[in-house]
Amino acid sequence: MNFKLPMIPGFQTSNKEIKTRYPKTPDFDIMSGVHIIRSLHVKNEKKCNSVFNSTTDLEETKKPTWLVFDKQNLTFDAYFKSTANESFGCAYNLRKCKIIYFLEDDTIKVVEPVVINSGLPQGCLIKRHKIPLPNNKNDYYKLLDLNVGVTVEFYGKQFKIIGTDSFTRDFLKKTGVDVPENLSMPDDPYFTRREKTPKKKQPAASKIMSPIYKQAQGFEGILNFKGFWDDRYNVDGDLHILEVRYFLVDDTIQIVEHNSDGGLKTFLKREKLPKDQMYVKPPGFSEQNDLLNVLAINSMNQWFAFDPLGNLSDVQASYYHWSNLYVGAEIDVYSRKIVLSSCDEFTKQYYSDYGLNNFPSNIDTPKVIEEKEKLNVQTIPVCHDENILNKLLSHSKIEALVFKAKIVPKEPNNLNREFIVKCFLSDQSFSVSEMNVQTAGAIGCRFFSKRKIPKENPNEFNVIFKLYVGVKLIIDGFQFVFIDVEDRTLRFMMDHPKEFPHSDVHYVMNQISKVIQTDIDTLHIKYLQNKTEMERNEFIEIMLNEFPNFSRHGMFVLALQYKKHEKYKEVSDDLFRSILQDELKRELFVGFDGLEINFKQRNLDKKDGYLERSSAFKALKSAKLPFSTEIINMLLDRFAHHETNKVNYVDLLEYLNYTINPTLGSQGLSKDILLYRKPNEAFIRVDEFVNDLRKLL
């Protein structure tokens, strides 16, 4: 047996001469003036089909089909049945399509002409490729398989060929194929049923008044009414002053509302206003007949019928007409009762031309109820000296004025929400935080971060002197009203009566003495119940009822001036610690190791765990804890020794480090609540207040 070594360098033992030249014939050539590829011609992979070629020229018969029939195709008209509309009472519907046969490579493409708004997926149904014969995967459709009257099956779908174009017909006749005449398209049962469906009757031409006709007849005017919607009897309701505009050209109504700043906003966009309070019409409301759904056992026999007893042609949607509008009329705008109070001269003349001039000229609009705070603002003095602020900052012991506030207008979801508003003395910036957040997903309690409020008037004096209980402040589009003030803030304002004249005790007492005059005994016996002491909130409410035009801030001044001296109850240690740890978590503070190193570096000489208060304060400030100066001082007070006033920084670090000793959480309480130092219960020295009031009479 002969073995051959592989043709690998080092294994060749043949003494034959090694071939060094490998000539290659050119692949591109020109034959009969046509550029060809010689390899395709030599291999003769695809010769011209003699059935398609009627020429007797020997050279032409040798040309490849991709060259002879380049860009030539035959087109057949066909249709197929679709069962997509069985739910409409039809077993099927017919869909037209075109079968395109490409002569160069025997490929077929099926396209359905696109019909606008047909609701069916149309366009290319079968992409161009060789389609196999049914039940025969080795053979494909040829040209002789396609002809008029023939039914072909493409992937299980039956296509009936009913016609062809002139080019295709001539081509087939030249190849010896007999082509029948084109067939007509059968009736589509779906569209036949739609044509038999009775259409909705249109109103008579005499009843139609188009916008063009109205404009030609002078109906292009606008009827203008003034009205109001009194919603003050509902919770947080208000009196809305409105303008009602009726467009005669298309019987539409537009309503605009007057803003508090004098502008207009859309109350109702221009539309036909329903009169029957049926704002959402049920399906089939405007149809002429009722449609009965007749069910059958076989879905092929399913059909529908019209109810002969249900004639809804007389049911028409009712809308407001100009004849329904007049001064004194009450119209229903989506359950809002609007009263038309007056109209312009054009509207009066328009109704007068139709003989309708017996309605009143106008109706009085209810007066807007003034709030007590608006009257109180006028009686509160305000400092206008801009240079006083610099003097005030040099003697200030607090860094911010703290107030309790609520949002107005009072929407239902804002009724129980209370906020702490801080005004920083250094730059007159504001921060707002919510006292208690129970909303899921709320990020802390910060409502607004520290920011400045733009002045309405550039020449306006410092805004800090305008703050008091009862004032309204707009911050980023939210309007807050101050309802209470922290005791230290109010004491600071009372200690500077020149800068805050609305907190001057002597001014407040003089105002009360002018109102009471000599009837102080009635005040003491009847209203103050001849008590020596009284709870603070009760005292404030009694005084406000007795002096309704007096400022609420002035009553808080009296309550603090004559408050019974008692030690202020700080928040519990657990709550204080929880609030601080929650704030550290919120600000992602993790620098406890660096803070410990800072403390130890400031105590290298003794290393006893205690540090001077001033040094401890600097260490906490340098660590950039998210606490204000006042909260840091409150924290140091808890760990400072009573005699030496030194701070135990070891316990302080353990107290703050939530990674080692976490708390249960503050349940959404804001850190600013620590600054709002005000006892829940306080008592007023009524006897001392009455005696001082007698001295002024």
Side-chain angles (χ1 to χ4, degrees):
M1 185 175 181
N2 297 327
F3 294 94
K4 294 183 179 181
L5 294 176
M7 297 297 293
I8 302 177
F11 289 89
Q12 296 179 359
T13 59
S14 178
N15 296 324
K16 295 182 179 180
E17 183 179 358
I18 298 176
K19 188 176 181 179
T20 58
R21 296 181 69 255
Y22 298 90
K24 185 177 181 182
T25 58
D27 199 27
F28 298 98
D29 199 355
I30 299 177
M31 179 181 293
S32 299
V34 178
H35 296 272
I36 67 170
I37 301 176
R38 182 177 294 275
S39 60
L40 298 179
H41 177 70
V42 173
K43 293 179 181 178
N44 196 15
E45 290 182 350
K46 202 165 189 182
K47 296 276 186 170
C48 176
N49 195 335
S50 60
V51 179
F52 302 155
N53 194 356
S54 61
T55 180
T56 59
D57 190 355
L58 182 60
E59 294 184 359
E60 292 293 333
T61 58
K62 294 181 179 180
K63 291 183 180 180
T65 56
W66 61 266
L67 184 59
V68 176
F69 301 111
D70 184 28
K71 298 181 181 178
Q72 295 186 19
N73 54 68
L74 306 181
T75 304
F76 300 88
D77 295 328
Y79 70 87
F80 67 96
K81 294 182 180 180
S82 174
T83 59
N85 294 312
E86 289 185 359
S87 60
F88 294 98
C90 300
Y92 62 90
N93 69 317
L94 303 181
R95 296 171 61 176
K96 297 179 181 179
C97 62
K98 289 184 178 295
I99 300 176
I100 303 174
Y101 183 88
F102 296 89
L103 295 171
E104 56 181 327
D105 54 0
D106 299 330
T107 55
I108 297 176
K109 179 180 180 182
V110 182
V111 178
E112 181 180 6
V114 177
V115 179
I116 299 177
N117 198 23
S118 66
L120 299 174
Q122 297 174 333
C124 181
L125 299 183
I126 301 178
K127 295 182 179 181
R128 177 181 174 180
H129 69 290
K130 286 188 177 183
I131 299 179
L133 291 171
N135 301 325
N136 188 356
K137 298 182 179 180
N138 298 324
D139 199 2
Y140 302 91
Y141 274 99
K142 302 294 183 179
L143 178 59
L144 298 180
D145 299 325
L146 306 177
N147 202 347
V148 177
V150 177
T151 301
V152 295
E153 182 179 348
F154 295 159
Y155 299 108
K157 191 180 294 294
Q158 303 289 334
F159 291 87
K160 177 71 174 180
I161 301 177
I162 60 175
T164 183
D165 58 5
S166 59
F167 175 79
T168 304
R169 185 178 295 274
D170 294 340
F171 186 89
L172 291 176
K173 286 184 178 180
K174 289 181 180 180
T175 58
V177 179
D178 185 18
V179 182
E181 295 296 330
N182 292 344
L183 304 177
S184 60
M185 180 72 182
D187 295 333
D188 189 351
Y190 172 70
F191 286 99
T192 303
R193 184 175 183 83
R194 288 188 56 179
E195 292 177 356
K196 293 181 180 180
T197 304
K199 298 181 180 180
K200 183 178 179 180
K201 295 181 179 180
Q202 298 295 333
S206 59
K207 296 182 180 180
I208 299 177
M209 186 176 293
S210 63
I212 299 177
Y213 175 80
K214 287 187 176 183
Q215 292 180 2
Q217 298 297 325
F219 284 87
E220 69 278 4
I222 301 176
L223 304 182
N224 292 282
F225 294 89
K226 290 186 178 180
F228 61 88
W229 171 39
D230 194 355
D231 190 41
R232 294 175 296 179
Y233 296 100
N234 294 327
V235 178
D236 301 325
D238 199 0
L239 179 65
H240 303 266
I241 307 301
L242 308 171
E243 288 187 9
V244 181
R245 302 167 182 172
Y246 185 91
F247 296 85
L248 295 169
V249 66
D250 54 0
D251 299 327
T252 56
I253 293 178
Q254 180 189 26
I255 303 178
V256 296
E257 181 180 359
H258 289 268
N259 282 333
S260 58
D261 56 358
L264 296 176
K265 66 177 181 180
T266 301
F267 186 85
L268 176 70
K269 66 179 182 179
R270 182 176 173 179
E271 63 179 23
K272 284 191 174 184
L273 183 61
K275 185 181 178 181
D276 53 4
Q277 297 186 2
M278 186 182 289
Y279 307 127
V280 180
K281 305 295 189 299
F285 176 81
S286 59
E287 294 297 329
Q288 181 182 0
N289 300 98
D290 290 337
L291 187 65
L292 300 179
N293 184 5
V294 181
L295 300 178
I297 298 176
N298 188 1
S299 61
M300 299 294 292
N301 298 328
Q302 182 181 1
W303 57 285
F304 297 86
F306 290 102
D307 186 5
L309 302 178
N311 186 6
L312 303 180
S313 58
D314 296 334
V315 178
Q316 299 292 336
S318 178
Y319 299 98
Y320 275 100
H321 190 254
W322 60 266
S323 58
N324 305 125
L325 307 180
Y326 53 88
V327 177
E330 183 180 88
I331 62 176
D332 185 279
V333 181
Y334 298 104
S335 301
R336 295 170 176 84
K337 304 298 182 181
I338 295 179
V339 180
L340 304 181
S341 58
S342 63
C343 61
D344 59 1
E345 294 298 329
F346 174 80
T347 305
K348 291 180 181 179
Q349 184 62 37
Y350 182 83
Y351 281 91
S352 178
D353 294 341
Y354 284 89
L356 303 174
N357 52 7
N358 55 352
F359 51 85
S361 58
N362 56 31
I363 295 178
D364 294 335
T365 303
K367 296 181 180 179
V368 179
I369 300 177
E370 297 281 346
E371 297 182 359
K372 294 181 180 180
E373 288 79 5
K374 295 182 180 180
L375 298 176
N376 297 337
V377 170
Q378 300 176 359
T379 62
I380 293 186
V382 180
C383 176
H384 295 269
D385 190 356
E386 298 183 4
N387 298 324
I388 291 183
L389 181 61
N390 296 329
K391 302 178 182 179
L392 187 66
L393 292 175
S394 60
H395 302 286
S396 175
K397 296 182 180 180
I398 61 176
E399 65 175 354
L401 305 182
V402 183
F403 295 87
K404 183 191 290 186
K406 286 189 175 183
I407 292 182
V408 290
K410 299 177 181 178
E411 297 180 356
N413 56 345
N414 292 332
L415 291 177
N416 298 324
R417 301 179 66 182
E418 293 182 342
F419 301 85
I420 294 179
V421 181
K422 296 171 59 179
C423 177
F424 297 89
L425 300 179
S426 59
D427 55 358
Q428 298 193 67
S429 58
F430 289 83
S431 69
V432 181
S433 58
E434 193 165 357
M435 295 184 65
N436 193 350
V437 177
Q438 299 296 339
T439 305
I443 302 176
C445 303
R446 187 183 297 110
F447 195 78
F448 283 125
S449 58
K450 184 178 179 181
R451 64 191 65 186
K452 288 189 176 182
I453 300 177
K455 296 182 180 180
E456 297 179 359
N457 184 6
N459 299 325
E460 186 181 9
F461 53 88
N462 295 316
V463 69
I464 190 175
F465 301 125
K466 298 174 60 177
L467 303 181
Y468 50 85
V469 177
V471 73
K472 292 182 179 180
L473 193 66
I474 298 178
I475 304 177
D476 286 359
F478 289 87
Q479 189 175 21
F480 296 89
V481 57
F482 291 172
I483 60 174
D484 204 345
V485 58
E486 193 256 342
D487 281 355
R488 289 180 301 169
T489 299
L490 185 57
R491 177 61 66 184
F492 173 78
M493 299 167 73
M494 293 169 59
D495 293 341
H496 300 82
K498 293 183 179 180
E499 293 80 3
F500 303 96
H502 49 73
S503 301
D504 188 357
V505 178
H506 299 289
Y507 170 79
V508 176
M509 294 292 288
N510 289 330
Q511 292 292 330
I512 295 179
S513 63
K514 292 179 182 179
V515 177
I516 294 180
Q517 295 180 356
T518 58
D519 199 13
I520 190 172
D521 293 333
T522 303
L523 174 66
H524 189 200
I525 297 174
K526 182 178 179 180
Y527 297 104
L528 299 179
Q529 305 172 10
N530 202 18
K531 293 183 178 180
T532 58
E533 293 182 358
M534 181 177 291
E535 203 274 329
R536 178 185 58 189
N537 294 333
E538 182 183 0
F539 172 79
I540 293 175
E541 294 301 326
I542 291 175
M543 294 297 294
L544 287 176
N545 293 333
E546 179 65 18
F547 309 103
N549 295 331
F550 203 76
S551 68
R552 190 178 186 89
H553 184 84
M555 296 305 173
F556 278 94
V557 172
L558 294 178
L560 183 60
Q561 178 67 20
Y562 294 98
K563 185 181 70 170
K564 183 179 179 181
H565 296 287
E566 57 183 5
K567 185 178 180 181
Y568 176 75
K569 297 180 180 180
E570 298 281 355
V571 295
S572 64
D573 187 72
D574 294 337
L575 180 59
F576 184 82
R577 183 180 182 182
S578 299
I579 293 175
L580 294 186
Q581 288 194 4
D582 285 352
E583 187 65 21
L584 292 174
K585 295 177 185 178
R586 191 176 301 116
E587 298 296 334
L588 304 178
F589 181 83
V590 292
F592 297 105
D593 294 337
L595 181 59
E596 182 180 3
I597 295 174
N598 197 339
F599 279 129
K600 291 181 178 180
Q601 287 180 348
R602 298 175 184 272
N603 192 25
L604 293 176
D605 52 348
K606 296 183 179 180
K607 299 181 181 180
D608 55 354
Y610 285 88
L611 195 62
E612 295 291 338
R613 183 186 179 98
S614 59
S615 299
F617 180 85
K618 293 178 181 179
L620 293 175
K621 274 293 187 179
S622 62
K624 296 183 179 180
L625 294 176
F627 304 136
S628 63
T629 302
E630 292 178 311
I631 294 181
I632 291 178
N633 286 326
M634 295 172 63
L635 176 63
L636 294 177
D637 290 339
R638 293 177 178 267
F639 294 93
H641 195 271
H642 297 290
E643 298 179 356
T644 61
N645 201 25
K646 290 186 177 181
V647 178
N648 186 347
Y649 64 83
V650 177
D651 294 342
L652 189 149
L653 281 172
E654 183 181 356
Y655 187 83
L656 294 178
N657 196 339
Y658 59 85
T659 61
I660 299 177
N661 298 312
T663 59
L664 296 178
S666 61
Q667 299 180 355
L669 293 178
S670 170
K671 66 174 181 179
D672 291 333
I673 200 173
L674 302 175
L675 302 178
Y676 190 77
R677 306 179 64 181
K678 195 160 190 174
N680 295 329
E681 293 183 0
F683 292 90
I684 309 300
R685 304 188 304 273
V686 179
D687 285 345
E688 185 176 346
F689 165 68
V690 174
N691 294 333
D692 291 343
L693 197 58
R694 291 181 187 275
K695 297 178 183 179
L696 299 176
L697 298 178

